[in-house]
Amino acid sequence: MAERYPEIEPYEHGMLDVGDGNQIYWEQCGNPSGKPAVVLHGGPGSGCTPGMRRFFDPTAYRIVLFDQRNCGRSTPHASDPATDLSANTTDRQVADIELLRTKLGIDRWLVFGASWGSMLGLVYALRHPSRVSEMVLLGVATGRVAEVDLLINGLGRVFPEAYAKFRAGVKADGNVAAEYLKLLSHPEFEVRDKAATNWCDWEDAIIPTSAPSLRYESPEFRICFARQVTHYWSHDSFVEDGYVLDNASKLAGIPGVLVQGALDMTNLLGGPWQLQQAWPGSELVITDAGHDAHSPGMIEALIAATDRFR
């Protein structure tokens, strides 16, 4: 059984001015002369973690990680209600990836994306196909309105008790994400924190294959995370509905591995399979996992993919 590679530390890190008053944190790990790979974290708003470095052979890969706008070590931080999120959109995030690539002098790189990061990576690849050598995606999302509606409303039939608590936090007849976003941007900390706790409790509930996330124990993290997720979901992820699946054939020539947990409740609409069918040269690997990257089967599949492409 494959295990993740040993823990490593960055050999270089810094802050990149991406405009709009935003600075994003970035780091490089592994072999400076190795094959470039960029890691796109989930959320949006989760930030990159040390464990994400360990899906790559550090002797073979030049691993680039960064915290997307307004989260992690990037500034300003979304946990502060004074932070304006209007410049935090999918188009701006795609531009950030390109600016980072240019800064680091990288011509092409493997794109590794998890959950929301898979959707961001797919949009990036459609906009800049000549800059993507391969893709490895897990917990695949394509950004469709129906996918978001499943997470906010559809899974309420599967987890009715948790859903009742989740919906009790906002107006019954309102747009759930937009109503939560208002609370998460409230000037009073207690209001923001209660809304963030409600939101993150629901996030935990719909991923029953994993233990509750320890990251949600931090008020700063959970407010930042919930505020960014609701910001994106209130705006249909800032992409045209169906954009990724409708254009996936344009990814022909970019090898891709889609690693999907069979127990992932967030993909009941069949998005990963539909994406694989529409993307020539892609492969769908089903594991016995849920919506996470930590089960043995998921680790084995991801390591196999990055080892193949090194």
Side-chain angles (χ1 to χ4, degrees):
M1 181 183 297
E3 295 183 0
R4 289 189 297 172
Y5 285 97
E7 294 182 4
I8 53 174
E9 293 297 323
Y11 63 79
E12 184 181 21
H13 63 89
M15 301 292 288
L16 175 65
D17 186 343
V18 294
D20 311 306
N22 282 275
Q23 300 268 339
I24 63 170
Y25 169 85
W26 60 269
E27 64 184 38
Q28 297 196 85
C29 312
N31 182 351
S33 301
K35 179 185 180 74
V38 62
V39 176
L40 306 180
H41 64 70
S46 292
C48 61
T49 61
M52 300 180 80
R53 307 166 184 160
R54 301 176 58 195
F55 289 107
F56 302 86
D57 180 346
T59 68
Y61 276 100
R62 175 185 177 185
I63 312 155
V64 180
L65 302 95
F66 70 99
D67 291 329
Q68 296 162 25
R69 290 189 177 211
N70 308 128
C71 72
R73 289 148 289 188
S74 295
T75 61
H77 202 262
S79 62
D80 182 348
T83 297
D84 181 8
L85 298 183
S86 62
N88 191 331
T89 67
T90 299
D91 284 346
R92 299 291 179 89
Q93 300 259 33
V94 167
D96 294 350
I97 299 170
E98 267 298 271
L99 190 62
L100 180 58
R101 182 193 62 78
T102 302
K103 172 185 172 53
L104 298 179
I106 293 171
D107 181 48
R108 300 170 74 226
W109 48 12
L110 179 150
V111 174
F112 183 103
S115 191
W116 149 259
S118 66
M119 181 271 187
L120 179 60
L122 287 161
V123 175
Y124 173 75
L126 287 169
R127 305 273 174 82
H128 302 282
S130 66
R131 300 305 181 185
V132 180
S133 56
E134 302 91 8
M135 301 189 78
V136 177
L137 309 177
L138 65 135
V140 178
T142 69
R144 290 179 294 172
V145 171
E147 293 174 7
V148 172
D149 185 63
L150 172 70
L151 301 181
I152 294 179
N153 296 305
L155 290 177
R157 288 170 288 180
V158 184
F159 307 103
E161 182 178 2
Y163 185 65
K165 294 178 181 177
F166 172 60
R167 287 304 306 265
V170 293
K171 296 178 181 178
D173 58 349
N175 178 304
V176 177
E179 291 296 325
Y180 264 105
L181 179 58
K182 292 177 185 177
L183 297 175
L184 289 159
S185 303
H186 195 279
E188 294 183 14
F189 170 79
E190 290 75 12
V191 175
R192 299 197 307 276
D193 193 46
K194 184 177 187 301
T197 299
N198 289 344
W199 187 274
C200 292
D201 284 349
W202 176 243
E203 292 268 355
D204 274 337
I206 63 177
I207 308 178
T209 53
S210 299
S213 174
L214 296 178
R215 302 178 82 187
Y216 295 155
E217 294 181 0
S218 162
E220 182 181 57
F221 177 88
R222 62 179 176 251
I223 292 173
C224 171
F225 170 79
R227 189 173 178 220
Q228 291 219 47
V229 172
T230 54
H231 169 66
Y232 271 82
W233 287 3
S234 297
H235 295 89
D236 298 333
S237 301
F238 297 98
V239 293
E240 180 183 348
D241 192 21
Y243 172 77
V244 169
L245 289 179
D246 290 345
N247 291 279
S249 62
K250 298 176 183 178
L251 297 174
I254 301 177
V257 176
L258 314 176
V259 183
Q260 187 60 42
L263 304 177
D264 187 348
M265 304 293 288
T266 70
N267 279 301
L268 294 178
L269 299 179
W273 181 84
Q274 294 168 339
L275 176 62
Q276 189 276 323
Q277 293 293 299
W279 176 1
S282 66
E283 173 187 348
L284 177 61
V285 179
I286 303 294
T287 76
D288 61 356
H291 191 75
D292 63 78
H294 307 299
S295 73
M298 184 68 76
I299 292 172
E300 186 171 7
L302 292 171
I303 294 293
T306 60
D307 280 356
R308 183 200 313 178
F309 292 139
R310 66 186 169 184

